[in-house]
Amino acid sequence: MLSIVGRKPKTADGEQVYNRILAAREERGLSRQDFADAIGVHYQTVGYLERGEYSPSLVLALRISRVLGLTVESLFSLDPLPEPEPAERPS
């Protein structure tokens, strides 16, 4: 079942919606296809979401949050999100 993606990522007053879907997905070792299957969308939709070309509907944001094991607030913001700290590599 594919769901509706959402809309262009600006609020009614023109604010940008930021997300950290890509970083969270990669941290969990999920391919774009596996993640898309888990949240019920086409893999290309994941790319649109990760690049900030579209914002998810509330239902899709909740699915994303559930699959990634993070709160909606930690994944999406109206303020730019700080870059995640690079993982330390064992010596």
Side-chain angles (χ1 to χ4, degrees):
M1 172 184 89
L2 297 180
S3 65
I4 297 174
V5 175
R7 58 180 171 75
K8 292 286 184 183
K10 293 198 183 255
T11 63
D13 55 358
E15 289 180 289
Q16 174 76 32
V17 177
Y18 300 91
N19 76 71
R20 60 169 44 118
I21 299 169
L22 175 62
R25 177 179 64 77
E26 288 180 341
E27 285 173 5
R28 283 148 186 80
L30 292 169
S31 71
R32 190 177 282 175
Q33 183 65 61
D34 289 341
F35 183 60
D37 291 344
I39 63 173
V41 299
H42 192 273
Y43 76 93
Q44 289 178 320
T45 300
V46 173
Y48 294 134
L49 293 165
E50 290 176 343
R51 290 187 301 272
E53 294 175 15
Y54 289 99
S55 292
S57 66
L58 177 57
V59 170
L60 184 54
L62 291 168
R63 282 190 214 150
I64 291 167
S65 173
R66 179 175 54 202
V67 168
L68 295 175
L70 297 169
T71 64
V72 171
E73 294 85 2
S74 67
L75 288 167
F76 302 95
S77 177
L78 294 176
D79 298 315
L81 295 162
E83 291 294 319
E85 295 290 324
E88 290 186 27
R89 294 185 177 171
S91 303

